Amino acid sequence: MNTQAIQGAHLVGSVNLPDAESVFRTVSTHLGDRMRRIPDGEVGERFYWIQFQTKRFDTMTGLSRIPVEPFYIRGVFDGRPFVIDDGVSADDLVFPSLGYADAALESYATFDRMRAAGEIAEGTRFQVSLPTPAAIVGAFVVAEHRAAFEPAYERALFGELQRIVDGIPHDSLAIQWDTAVEFALLESANIRSHHAIVPWFDDVLGGVVERAVRQAAAVPSDVEVGYHLCYGDVEEAHFVQPTDAGHLADVVSGVLAAAPRPISWFHLPVPIERDDDAFFAPLAAFDVPEETELYLGLLHHEDGVEGAERRIAAATAVQPRFGVATECGFGRGPSERTTELLDLHAATTQAW
């Protein structure tokens, strides 16, 4: 393994520990010299990524669940999608607090206290992971109302972002855009099940890149911004296995070409069975700028260091500079696996 190439580790967001303080302390203990930024583990109501947003929508006037028998995700979240009520314009929807700013401000207070006490390395930033509006729209809104709902939700989410950047010092903050449903749209022709999400905009790649660039532009230039590109994680499985890294490379290339500001990092998933040249070949299509970190999600608990080394060897043939990560967050995996995964990050990378 070319250890010189493997510098730094990245945590996507979710970590199965009881609270933010536990996440900050455990990550710092196991990976403190590998991390440029640390998330709060998406603890509490955020444990199942975006599902908690539906409980916010249930309080809104003008939105309703479709009238079918309720079914529940993890026994907690009502899975019925939403419609905009007849006679209601999406522009008139009034969103409550979405919860992201409240959680970020609360967790940052803990982060700041622990960093001041030396429990978190000086210079480490607090990472806030936000879903893209397309994730919410694609997951929770009926197909015919997605185009109208998306800009309304985007305004509400950007309002949450504004509260975050107003409340946390910019030199301590990093914003990550979790970009997952977009790859379901790009792969929609290959998803042959009722889970397929039909795109609600033409030129899917162009639309995905345009949205990502808008999200980067919404973050102040002195706040780090990055992207977690994701093929989904439903009970530790992708919605479809990528044939290769082609769609991932297309999005990275498009964002790098069009973003009005530097991008601090990209995180890309690597399936466990892919240690072949064909998977990684599309990553040769872009050069990573000096100010941008690339993290490959090639760590898997099933095959540990040995499997990671095989995937690293294949990846270094096309991208000589990158750090490591898991494919997605690991907050929904067994809690006893958490420190094992953190140690796997440490075993396969060098300190900054």
Side-chain angles (χ1 to χ4, degrees), residues 21-73:
E21 182 166 349
S22 300
V23 173
F24 296 143
R25 180 169 291 111
T26 305
V27 171
S28 292
T29 299
H30 289 259
L31 283 175
D33 59 355
R34 266 81 164 172
M35 304 296 296
R36 288 274 174 86
R37 52 198 75 86
I38 302 176
D40 71 355
E42 298 177 8
V43 294
E45 67 176 356
R46 294 168 294 146
F47 81 97
Y48 209 89
W49 194 37
I50 57 176
Q51 289 291 336
F52 78 104
Q53 290 294 278
T54 63
K55 296 191 174 186
R56 299 298 200 278
F57 295 167
D58 280 329
T59 71
M60 293 174 59
T61 300
L63 276 186
S64 301
R65 303 270 191 176
I66 63 170
V68 298
E69 187 70 21
F71 61 96
Y72 289 91
I73 297 166

Side-chain angles (χ1 to χ4, degrees), residues 252-317:
V252 172
S253 298
V255 173
L256 287 174
R261 51 151 300 158
I263 306 302
S264 299
W265 76 91
F266 290 95
H267 166 274
L268 282 59
V270 179
I272 188 170
E273 67 274 10
R274 301 308 295 268
D275 58 9
D276 56 296
D277 294 342
F279 178 82
F280 294 100
L283 301 185
F286 58 83
D287 294 320
V288 181
E290 189 63 34
E291 68 271 15
T292 302
E293 300 158 24
L294 178 66
Y295 293 97
L296 299 182
L298 47 73
L299 302 182
H300 295 268
H301 68 89
E302 295 94 335
D303 62 6
V305 172
E306 184 275 330
E309 289 181 345
R310 285 188 283 104
R311 291 181 285 275
I312 286 168
T316 52

Side-chain angles (χ1 to χ4, degrees), residues 47-121:
F47 81 97
Y48 209 89
W49 194 37
I50 57 176
Q51 289 291 336
F52 78 104
Q53 290 294 278
T54 63
K55 296 191 174 186
R56 299 298 200 278
F57 295 167
D58 280 329
T59 71
M60 293 174 59
T61 300
L63 276 186
S64 301
R65 303 270 191 176
I66 63 170
V68 298
E69 187 70 21
F71 61 96
Y72 289 91
I73 297 166
R74 283 279 177 117
V76 176
F77 302 105
D78 187 339
R80 295 174 297 165
F82 290 87
V83 296
I84 301 171
D85 293 342
D86 289 345
V88 174
S89 168
D91 291 338
D92 294 331
L93 293 173
V94 177
F95 289 83
S97 165
L98 300 178
Y100 291 106
D102 291 340
L105 296 173
E106 179 181 351
S107 291
Y108 178 72
T110 302
F111 180 93
D112 189 44
R113 169 176 56 79
M114 294 178 68
R115 189 176 55 179
E119 296 179 88
I120 296 172

